[in-house]
Amino acid sequence: MMDLSGKTAIVTGAASGIGLGIATALAEAGANVVMADIQKDAVEQAAHGLSGTNKRVMPVRIDVTLEQSVVDALAEAERNFGKLHIACNNAGVPMHGTRMVDVPLDDWRFAIGVNVWGVIHGIRHFVPAILRHGEEGHVVNTASVAGFQNRRGTNQAPYSMTKYAVVSLSEALEQELEGTNVGVSVLCPGPIATNIARGARNRPDHMGGPQIRSTDEATLTERLAATGLDPMKVGERVVDAIRTRTFYAFVSAVPAEVIRARHRRIEEALNSQWVTHY
């Protein structure tokens, strides 16, 4: 099992919710934690709260949609803590409540920019940094149970699409890192009690600026408040996944039968006269 004591981790989206839960659990396991978030004041406050418990944490502002911002955050992490061992590409935003044909282009760009490009930028820069020193490391990409199925009646196709992409990126990364001592996990949470519903309020200016989606936010917030797991439990799940090298890291309520039914439908479709198996 990987010993996290003294290792350095970077967590994006760390000011609150799942990111804060991951940062807290890593710090409690003895890691140095770079808490990265687009909300500068919020992440500084969150880091201050953790540093008050004698944990080694450092806040840094990051916009995961911008490659240079990711590069700068990595450089700051290495200047302060040295080698990077763990990267948690966690920053994410919702896109619920609107039919695909009615979703504005700026909303598509925002969801893809954070949920997909944020992970891509993290893979392109954090992974080489971990590989460079040759020590044991791990990458955690936050997807969702939405990355395995589209929940009926939620009109969350843009969100699910981006999370499907994160699952695929993670599966490919695991294959590419075979033979190294760097593990990969794809975090797949069900409902978690976070403020992700308000994610559009932090949309950067270059992606259309902040937006309030009152109806969608209210619906998602109510659902998460009623059924959501404590984000600190998700942090514990991530630490366990890193230590045990668990790839599919599900946590919270999962629509298991819906996912199984989807997989059965795929398998049945393979039994076709039009298909040659190899």
Side-chain angles (χ1 to χ4, degrees):
M1 297 178 70
M2 183 175 176
D3 181 9
L4 304 186
S5 181
K7 300 294 193 298
T8 295
I10 187 167
V11 182
T12 65
S16 62
I18 291 175
L20 179 55
I22 294 172
T24 301
L26 287 169
E28 290 179 348
N32 311 314
V33 184
V34 180
M35 300 174 65
D37 199 282
I38 197 169
Q39 302 177 81
K40 182 176 182 293
D41 292 343
V43 77
E44 288 177 352
Q45 183 177 353
H48 179 72
L50 279 185
S51 62
T53 60
N54 296 320
K55 303 297 189 294
R56 294 192 66 195
V57 300
M58 181 190 77
V60 61
R61 186 186 183 278
I62 194 172
D63 180 347
V64 298
T65 69
L66 298 176
E67 183 176 27
Q68 189 59 51
S69 183
V70 174
V71 171
D72 292 345
L74 172 61
E76 194 166 343
E78 291 180 322
R79 275 195 301 271
N80 282 269
F81 290 138
K83 302 169 185 175
L84 181 69
H85 301 86
I86 298 165
C88 298
N89 297 306
N90 168 75
V93 295
M95 197 59 60
H96 296 64
T98 305
R99 296 169 66 244
M100 278 189 285
V101 294
D102 297 322
V103 175
L105 278 180
D106 277 351
D107 288 0
W108 281 103
R109 294 187 182 106
F110 181 45
I112 295 169
V114 177
N115 296 352
V116 181
W117 275 107
V119 175
I120 292 171
H121 291 323
I123 289 172
R124 293 191 69 250
H125 296 286
F126 298 151
V127 172
I130 296 171
L131 289 170
R132 200 155 44 231
H133 52 68
E135 297 175 9
E136 192 173 17
H138 207 92
V139 181
V140 180
N141 297 324
T142 298
S144 167
V145 294
F148 296 86
Q149 47 88 36
N150 279 283
R151 181 171 173 172
R152 290 183 181 274
T154 60
N155 291 326
Q156 62 180 43
Y159 180 74
S160 290
M161 179 271 288
T162 60
K163 294 305 184 178
Y164 271 63
V166 174
V167 172
S168 179
L169 286 167
S170 302
E171 290 172 341
L173 182 63
E174 183 193 37
Q175 292 175 7
E176 291 188 10
L177 291 178
E178 285 178 359
T180 75
N181 57 357
V182 179
V184 178
S185 297
V186 56
L187 178 63
C188 309
I192 309 297
T194 73
N195 63 357
I196 188 174
R198 297 165 58 89
R201 298 180 185 227
N202 300 312
R203 186 162 66 178
D205 290 340
H206 70 91
M207 304 207 79
Q211 185 183 57
I212 297 174
R213 301 165 58 92
S214 299
T215 302
D216 300 345
E217 288 180 8
T219 301
L220 187 55
T221 299
E222 182 180 355
R223 185 199 312 166
L224 295 179
T227 62
L229 182 70
D230 183 348
M232 296 302 159
K233 291 292 185 183
V234 185
E236 294 171 10
R237 176 69 177 102
V238 168
V239 166
D240 180 75
I242 294 172
R243 285 175 169 159
T244 60
R245 290 213 170 195
T246 299
F247 182 72
Y248 294 111
F250 287 97
V251 62
S252 188
V254 175
E257 186 48 41
V258 174
I259 296 172
R260 292 191 183 103
R262 175 176 179 269
H263 287 187
R264 287 196 296 268
R265 186 183 181 193
I266 293 170
E267 291 177 8
E268 289 167 2
L270 293 174
N271 298 320
S272 164
Q273 63 177 326
W274 301 101
V275 174
T276 301
H277 295 189
Y278 68 91

